[in-house]
Amino acid sequence: MNKFFGLSCILLSFSLLSGCVTEKIVYENGREVVKTDDDDSPERSKLAADNRVKIAIRLLNEGQATMAKQNLQKALEYDPDNFNAKLGFAWYYQQVGETENAYNAYNNLVKQFSDNGDVYQNYGMFLCGQKKYTEAYSTFEHALTIKNYTRMAETLFEAGRCAYSQGDDRKAIAYADRALAYNSTTPILLLFRAELALGVDDVNTARMMMSRFSHYSEDNSLSLFIKLRIEEGSGNIDEARKYGDLLLTRYPNSPEAKKYQNNDY
């Protein structure tokens, strides 16, 4: 089975602002420096903590784990109960391979924020990465039962990707279809379902998903790769070659282009 959909990284429960009232990011001599003001109200302390989490997640994505940890620690100094800082620490432990600390961090999050579905979604993703699939699916499903939780499609999508990583196409398809029932227009979900359909030789469903995808999004390397495989599966060699040429022209260095060139699909 082709693996194009890896597990995604941390899902934060908020949209971080690029600026912050208590802290602001400036550059001095080419270095990023955080400046603070004197307002230490709870609201502004939370904003300052959130800003530090934003910096930490970016640093983790850039491979700068030590600096990321420092920012997460600073976030908790501003706001000791900050949910996103604690979730950020759980992800930090994942990234640096401190698995036991990651388990402890998630267990503490579950205890402290038991009514927050984002905890369970992220914990499910972590458990899946540890190949604890039964526990992961149970954790994803628990997120869906939480009152006022609204990320249903995202959680089901992650559960589907977990099943995909496990090699269970049938379970992945079931989760993807449940996700589509909540949101039938998200491009990445449509691509995922099309990929799953191709995995079980269901070209018609794959074509239908890609038709929807084209209505909501421009092509990317993965969509072109899926389209050429659909056409090949339908015996439309000229159409398949057309999409292959587009893939090589627009995205020559993409993993999909290399797979196409090597006939690795």
Side-chain angles (χ1 to χ4, degrees):
M1 179 174 57
N2 295 295
K3 298 294 183 185
F4 295 104
F5 290 88
L7 294 177
S8 53
C9 62
I10 188 171
L11 167 72
L12 295 176
S13 67
F14 65 110
S15 296
L16 285 165
L17 301 178
S18 59
C20 175
V21 178
T22 305
E23 293 191 332
K24 62 181 179 179
I25 303 169
V26 298
Y27 290 87
E28 295 180 354
N29 299 321
R31 297 179 59 194
E32 189 177 84
V33 178
V34 180
K35 297 285 189 179
T36 63
D37 61 34
D38 296 326
D39 189 338
D40 59 354
S41 68
E43 294 79 9
R44 294 185 180 230
S45 292
K46 182 181 184 307
L47 285 173
D50 286 347
N51 198 53
R52 286 286 186 167
V53 175
K54 176 189 174 182
I55 296 170
I57 297 304
R58 178 177 58 75
L59 289 169
L60 274 175
N61 286 330
E62 294 173 354
Q64 301 184 59
T66 299
M67 291 181 64
K69 184 178 182 180
Q70 292 171 356
N71 277 277
L72 290 171
Q73 290 171 331
K74 191 67 176 179
L76 289 176
E77 289 178 18
Y78 280 119
D79 183 6
D81 291 323
N82 188 278
F83 168 75
N84 290 293
K86 294 185 175 185
L87 183 58
F89 255 115
W91 193 52
Y92 162 80
Y93 290 132
Q94 288 178 241
Q95 294 295 97
V96 298
E98 295 184 22
T99 304
E100 192 63 32
N101 284 335
Y103 273 115
N104 292 335
Y106 278 116
N107 284 327
N108 288 334
L109 280 162
V110 166
K111 291 175 184 177
Q112 186 175 358
F113 303 99
S114 60
D115 60 346
N116 190 316
D118 291 337
V119 171
Y120 293 94
Q121 177 170 325
N122 281 279
Y123 192 19
M125 293 160 61
F126 167 69
L127 290 169
C128 186
Q130 299 301 309
K131 302 187 185 304
K132 295 184 177 296
Y133 297 113
T134 300
E135 294 176 50
Y137 299 133
S138 176
T139 303
F140 286 130
E141 292 288 352
H142 185 80
L144 304 176
T145 69
I146 294 177
K147 184 178 180 181
N148 298 326
Y149 185 59
T150 60
R151 299 181 189 268
M152 317 296 276
E154 294 175 35
T155 297
L156 289 165
F157 178 35
E158 293 300 340
R161 295 206 287 184
C162 181
Y164 187 61
S165 70
Q166 185 184 7
D168 191 336
D169 284 350
R170 182 171 297 184
K171 187 185 289 288
I173 288 171
Y175 275 122
D177 286 343
R178 288 173 64 189
L180 284 167
Y182 284 101
N183 189 336
S184 62
T185 64
T186 301
I188 189 65
L189 179 54
L190 294 168
L191 287 176
F192 180 50
R193 185 62 181 88
E195 177 70 26
L196 291 172
L198 286 177
V200 294
D201 297 321
D202 183 359
V203 175
N204 290 334
T205 296
R207 189 182 297 279
M208 180 176 66
M209 292 297 122
M210 294 312 298
S211 177
R212 287 192 205 171
F213 170 86
S214 295
H215 183 72
Y216 296 108
S217 178
E218 298 293 328
D219 273 320
N220 54 43
S221 60
L222 180 55
S223 69
L224 289 171
F225 189 57
I226 291 175
K227 286 178 178 180
L228 77 85
R229 291 163 61 203
I230 290 172
E231 297 306 332
E232 281 194 359
S234 301
N236 302 323
I237 304 304
D238 289 341
E239 281 294 301
R241 186 175 296 112
K242 180 188 76 173
Y243 286 123
D245 290 343
L246 283 173
L247 175 61
L248 295 177
T249 300
R250 296 182 184 177
Y251 308 99
N253 298 317
S254 67
E256 293 80 14
K258 297 193 184 317
K259 285 180 178 291
Y260 175 60
Q261 288 175 312
N262 296 328
N263 201 31
D264 181 21
Y265 58 95

